[in-house]
């Protein structure tokens, strides 16, 4: 099973990258690739840029990785209640590739975390509403509030027992969806 773990952040110390990497490590027998928005850094979307030069290769690279994956784990950082600029730019460019939907119907666990008590609920809700219009097949969502209290950086895992079992349950659910899809082919 191929998993693409996407951190919707370009921070070198991204907590969403820590979370999505941890989540990916919990899925057994998986081939995991972890990416963040630094892997797809492009000029800010501009109509004239697209007309003159087309969609940059970096956006096509992300699309290829999505197409090659069986499952998507996506964890978004929240800036002012919504997507980080870095993620939104990658999302915008990728949405301009002709004849394909950004998330290509791949089963997705949509996640967010933040240092505060809402755990990135604003960006999660924005994405939950919007992604289905771009081929998003959101099987479930997960937020981790108070990241610094609920994630043990030393041992690289969620320390809150309830949140840890909630995540495992949701990962089991998305893995089961993928197994059903695989068997139906
Ligand atoms: C410009 C900016 C805006 C932010 N806005 C929010 C916000 O609306 N809600 C929130 O919970 N955290 C907010 N934060 C804090 C981020 O959640 C925090 O920086 C977090 O580490 C971002 O995730 P990342 O480390 O994966 O990039 C903001 C941070 C910045 C720099």
């Amino acid at each position: 099973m191929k998993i693409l773990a996407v951190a919707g952040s370009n921070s070198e110390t991204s907590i969403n990258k820590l979370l999505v990497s941890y989540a990916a490590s919990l899925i057994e027998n998986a081939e995991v690739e972890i990416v963040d928005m630094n892997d797809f850094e492009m000029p800010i979307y501009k109509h004239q840029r697209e007309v003159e030069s087309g969609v940059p290769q970096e956006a096509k690279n992300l699309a290829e990785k999505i197409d090659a994956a069986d499952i998507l784990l996506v964890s978004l950082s929240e800036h002012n209640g919504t997507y980080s600029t870095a993620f939104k730019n990658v999302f915008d460019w990728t949405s301009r590739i002709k004849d394909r939907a950004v998330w290509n119907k791949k089963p997705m666990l949509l996640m967010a975390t933040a240092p505060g008590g809402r755990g990135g609920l604003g960006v999660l809700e924005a994405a939950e509403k919007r992604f289905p219009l771009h081929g998003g097949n959101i099987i479930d969502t997960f937020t981790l509030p108070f990241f610094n209290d609920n994630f043990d950086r030393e041992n690289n895992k969620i320390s809150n027992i309830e949140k840890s079992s909630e995540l495992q349950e949701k990962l089991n659910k998305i893995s089961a969806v993928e197994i059903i899809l695989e068997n139906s082919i």
Side-chain angles (χ1 to χ4, degrees):
M1 189 186 301
K2 279 192 182 174
I3 296 177
L4 182 65
V6 180
S9 166
N10 65 353
S11 166
E12 306 292 346
T13 55
S14 169
I15 58 178
N16 283 279
K17 192 168 184 182
L18 289 176
L19 177 63
V20 81
S21 305
Y22 168 65
S25 77
L26 295 176
I27 300 183
E28 287 173 7
N29 302 320
E31 191 187 313
V32 177
E33 182 173 13
I34 300 162
V35 294
D36 64 38
M37 295 304 104
N38 295 301
D39 297 311
F40 313 105
E41 194 162 296
M42 291 170 270
I44 289 178
Y45 178 85
K46 182 171 168 175
H47 175 68
Q48 283 71 19
R49 272 197 186 113
E50 185 184 356
V51 170
E52 283 164 22
S53 316
V55 175
Q57 185 58 43
E58 287 82 357
K60 294 176 186 165
N61 293 346
L62 174 60
E64 270 174 31
K65 288 180 192 300
I66 291 169
D67 292 348
D70 298 311
I71 286 179
L72 304 174
L73 304 180
V74 178
S75 193
L76 301 174
S77 59
E78 178 170 303
H79 281 182
N80 296 316
T82 188
Y83 312 112
S84 67
T85 304
F87 174 80
K88 185 62 165 48
N89 192 44
V90 172
F91 185 50
D92 287 349
W93 275 118
T94 309
S95 74
R96 300 298 297 166
I97 300 173
K98 283 206 168 58
D99 300 325
R100 79 176 287 289
V102 175
W103 303 112
N104 199 7
K105 299 269 179 200
K106 301 294 170 109
M108 179 192 295
L109 178 62
L110 177 63
M111 301 189 281
T113 188
R118 281 168 51 84
L121 195 61
V123 66
L124 191 99
E125 285 173 351
E128 198 176 5
K129 201 168 160 200
R130 187 70 207 181
F131 283 6
L133 304 176
H134 298 271
N137 176 13
I138 300 169
I139 304 301
D140 216 328
T141 63
F142 177 81
T143 57
L144 185 64
F146 300 119
F147 181 84
N148 295 318
D149 297 328
N150 287 328
F151 195 90
D152 174 356
R153 288 171 187 263
E154 221 168 277
N155 296 303
N156 214 23
K157 62 184 184 110
I158 293 179
S159 49
N160 178 315
I161 292 170
E162 278 171 22
K163 276 289 171 186
S164 173
S165 51
E166 180 191 334
L167 178 61
Q168 186 63 66
E169 211 176 279
K170 290 177 174 177
L171 290 169
N172 292 346
K173 187 171 159 189
I174 195 167
S175 304
V177 168
E178 164 50 23
I179 289 164
I180 290 166
L181 283 176
E182 222 169 60
N183 292 340
S184 68
I185 293 167

